[in-house]
Amino acid sequence: MSARFRIVGWMLAVVGLALAVAISAGWAVLVQREAEVVNDELRNEVDKLRGFAAQRPVSDLDELFDAYLQVNVADRWETFFTLVDGRWHGRSPDHRAEADPRLIDRIARHTQVATGSHDEGRIRWAAIPVSVIGDARKGHFVILVFYDRHRAEVDRAVRLLVLSALGALALAGAAGWFVAGRVLSPVRLVRTTAERISDSSDLSQRLTVTGNDDVAALARTFNHMLDRLERAFAIQREFLDDAGHELRTPITVVRGHLELMGASDEEREETLALVTDELDRMSRIVEDLLTLAKAEQPGFLAVEEVEVADLTVSVVAKARALGERRWRVDSLAEVSIMADRQRLTQALMQLVANAFRHTGEGGEIAVGSAVQDGQVTLWVRDDGPGVPADDRERIFQRFVRVGSSPGAGLGLAIVRSIAEAHGGTVHVEDGARFVITVEGTCDEPDPDS
């Protein structure tokens, strides 16, 4: 069954159960109330007869019964008759049925006011023994209430309620079916779009989202997921194309030199040196590719508390081993942050290595750190030619090299991945100043500690 059918089915089941309980309870209350009304009516007739007999003196039973039947008219679904010495005497003008002889015999035996039911509960009765001074006969005034007629009215009312409830249930089902269809339409769009994508591998398709409910939020989330998937597949295709191109070159060089390798020791040594150099370059490319692949995974960072000033000084100390340059420390941020010390060191050393390659002997290279607007910035600058303004964005892409820069063009892409993994960014300022911004709050040390 579809979700739409299940939603409407459960809704109708709950509403139907609620209506059934309400109608059953209402029917029980109405029946109970009707029984109380009938009992009240019987007691009222007894009191009326007593009051009439007390106010009007009569000489015999005939005079009393005839006078009372003339002034007292039976209500709807009610009738009166009288007995004298256990025999039929008279009845009200609107008497609807002859009394059952069995009922007359039963009533005649009562010497006090009595009530009961007859004909399997369809008739409720009250019998009032009556006697008159000077008349030795025994009389009974009998009130019959046709209880089945009262119950029939209750049953008609309940049937009307049931029909109304069924109509309301049908309308609720139709409205629920329509509303469920509208609400679930984004879900159907998600399913059909997913099927089309599976058939065509086209990740550019998107859902049209209307409304602000949870299902519309699901459609928006699905669109965002498609955005990420499309971007991931595009990056993957680009990555595979560039990686294949970069790795194909050293493989071709190695194969060509091995095929052309001469027989002399000198030629073999030259070929071996060249092959070793190409394999080393290929190894570096593979290691950089693995680093970029790990950057997309949750366990890329090993977060710990890092003192930024100590990190800055240690990077400069390690960088001095690269060669003769005028190494400088611009400034130190005396704060601690939660970050991966090794990854930040890797990013800064990559920037330092780039600066070393683009400066001559005696050139100046500086490393610094500072806190700006609650964020830590780390930078490396040099006095080299710098990066042209048109290339300052694209140099952080994979396999992008500017001019005659050596390497595979993965170093700055790794720097960007490390910065983004820390929730930050990397950019170039003034041509030769590379700045890494690390997101997150900073804990400044206590000066008294």
Side-chain angles (χ1 to χ4, degrees):
M1 292 185 293
S2 65
R4 186 181 188 181
F5 185 84
R6 289 198 300 269
I7 290 173
V8 175
W10 278 107
M11 183 196 71
L12 291 180
V14 173
V15 174
L17 179 61
L19 288 175
V21 171
I23 291 174
S24 299
W27 177 80
V29 170
L30 288 175
V31 169
Q32 180 65 27
R33 178 59 181 164
E34 196 64 34
E36 293 176 356
V37 168
V38 170
N39 292 333
D40 291 342
E41 182 63 24
L42 292 175
R43 287 191 292 268
N44 181 54
E45 292 298 336
V46 173
D47 294 337
K48 286 166 61 176
L49 178 59
R50 286 175 175 172
F52 180 83
Q55 294 176 2
R56 181 167 182 171
V58 292
S59 59
D60 56 23
L61 287 173
D62 296 331
E63 182 181 357
L64 174 63
F65 287 154
D66 292 341
Y68 186 72
L69 290 176
Q70 290 178 0
V71 299
N72 189 25
V73 180
D75 294 334
R76 187 185 184 194
W77 310 130
E78 181 180 280
T79 191
F80 310 136
F81 67 87
T82 58
L83 301 177
V84 176
D85 287 335
R87 298 184 182 86
W88 183 269
H89 176 267
R91 63 187 181 184
S92 60
D94 58 347
H95 187 65
R96 296 174 181 80
E98 295 295 335
D100 190 335
R102 294 174 300 169
L103 177 60
I104 293 176
D105 293 340
R106 180 180 176 185
I107 293 174
R109 291 193 293 267
H110 289 283
T111 59
Q112 295 180 349
V113 176
T115 59
S117 60
H118 181 64
D119 197 11
E120 298 181 354
R122 287 192 288 269
I123 296 175
R124 300 288 297 276
W125 57 268
I128 308 170
V130 180
S131 61
V132 176
I133 298 174
D135 191 340
R137 295 175 300 173
K138 296 179 180 180
H140 289 83
F141 183 81
V142 182
I143 306 103
L144 293 182
V145 176
F146 298 95
Y147 184 66
D148 57 338
R149 307 293 178 86
H150 290 271
R151 281 290 302 274
E153 292 186 348
V154 173
D155 293 340
R156 282 195 296 271
V158 172
R159 282 196 296 270
L160 181 60
L161 286 177
V162 170
L163 293 176
S164 300
L166 291 176
L169 202 61
L171 290 176
W177 185 265
F178 175 75
V179 173
R182 293 291 300 273
V183 171
L184 293 176
S185 59
V187 177
R188 291 196 299 272
L189 286 175
V190 169
R191 178 177 60 82
T192 55
T193 302
E195 290 176 351
R196 288 198 301 269
I197 291 174
S198 299
D199 295 337
S200 63
S201 300
D202 181 13
L203 293 176
S204 63
Q205 303 182 58
R206 296 295 183 270
L207 302 177
T208 301
V209 182
T210 57
N212 294 312
D213 54 10
D214 293 337
V215 181
L218 171 64
R220 283 191 290 269
T221 303
F222 185 78
N223 284 340
H224 294 328
M225 181 189 70
L226 289 179
D227 292 338
R228 293 193 298 270
L229 287 176
E230 184 179 17
R231 178 175 176 273
F233 276 104
I235 292 175
Q236 183 187 46
R237 285 193 296 268
E238 181 182 355
F239 180 81
L240 291 176
D241 293 341
D242 294 338
H245 174 74
E246 292 294 332
L247 292 176
R248 191 180 299 114
T249 300
I251 291 174
T252 303
V253 172
V254 170
R255 177 179 295 173
H257 281 81
L258 289 177
E259 292 175 351
L260 298 175
M261 183 175 60
S264 64
D265 294 340
E266 182 179 356
E267 289 180 345
R268 283 197 296 271
E269 289 179 0
E270 291 179 356
T271 301
L272 180 61
L274 187 145
V275 168
T276 302
D277 181 69
E278 289 298 319
L279 290 177
D280 290 341
R281 187 165 74 89
M282 188 185 303
S283 177
R284 288 193 300 272
I285 292 175
V286 171
E287 290 179 359
D288 290 343
L289 291 175
L290 289 175
T291 301
L292 290 172
K294 291 178 181 178
E296 304 294 333
Q297 300 177 1
F300 179 61
L301 299 181
V303 178
E304 59 180 342
E305 186 175 353
V306 178
E307 294 184 3
V308 179
D310 180 66
L311 172 67
T312 306
V313 173
S314 66
V315 168
V316 175
K318 294 176 182 179
R320 293 182 186 277
L322 295 177
E324 293 295 330
R325 296 292 188 272
R326 288 184 291 121
W327 300 100
R328 297 285 185 271
V329 176
D330 282 343
S331 64
L332 297 175
E334 298 292 343
V335 295
S336 297
I337 60 173
M338 299 304 295
D340 188 329
R341 182 185 180 92
Q342 293 184 357
R343 293 299 184 189
L344 289 179
T345 301
Q346 179 184 5
L348 290 174
M349 289 301 298
Q350 180 64 52
L351 296 178
V352 168
N354 285 350
F356 184 84
R357 287 194 295 268
H358 290 86
T359 55
E361 186 175 349
E364 182 179 88
I365 300 176
V367 181
S369 58
V371 178
Q372 298 177 354
D373 300 328
Q375 297 178 335
V376 171
T377 57
L378 304 164
W379 67 83
V380 175
R381 64 173 181 84
D382 61 74
D383 58 0
V387 181
D390 295 338
D391 296 325
R392 291 178 185 177
E393 294 293 334
R394 56 186 295 270
I395 59 173
F396 294 102
Q397 300 176 6
R398 297 171 180 175
F399 302 107
V400 172
R401 292 188 292 270
V402 178
S404 59
S405 299
L410 294 174
L412 293 180
I414 293 175
V415 174
R416 184 184 66 177
S417 297
I418 293 174
E420 291 177 350
H422 284 86
T425 59
V426 60
H427 62 278
V428 183
E429 296 178 352
D430 301 328
R433 187 172 186 264
F434 289 78
V435 181
I436 298 176
T437 301
V438 180
E439 296 286 343
T441 58
C442 306
D443 297 329
E444 297 187 6
D446 188 353
D448 297 333
S449 61

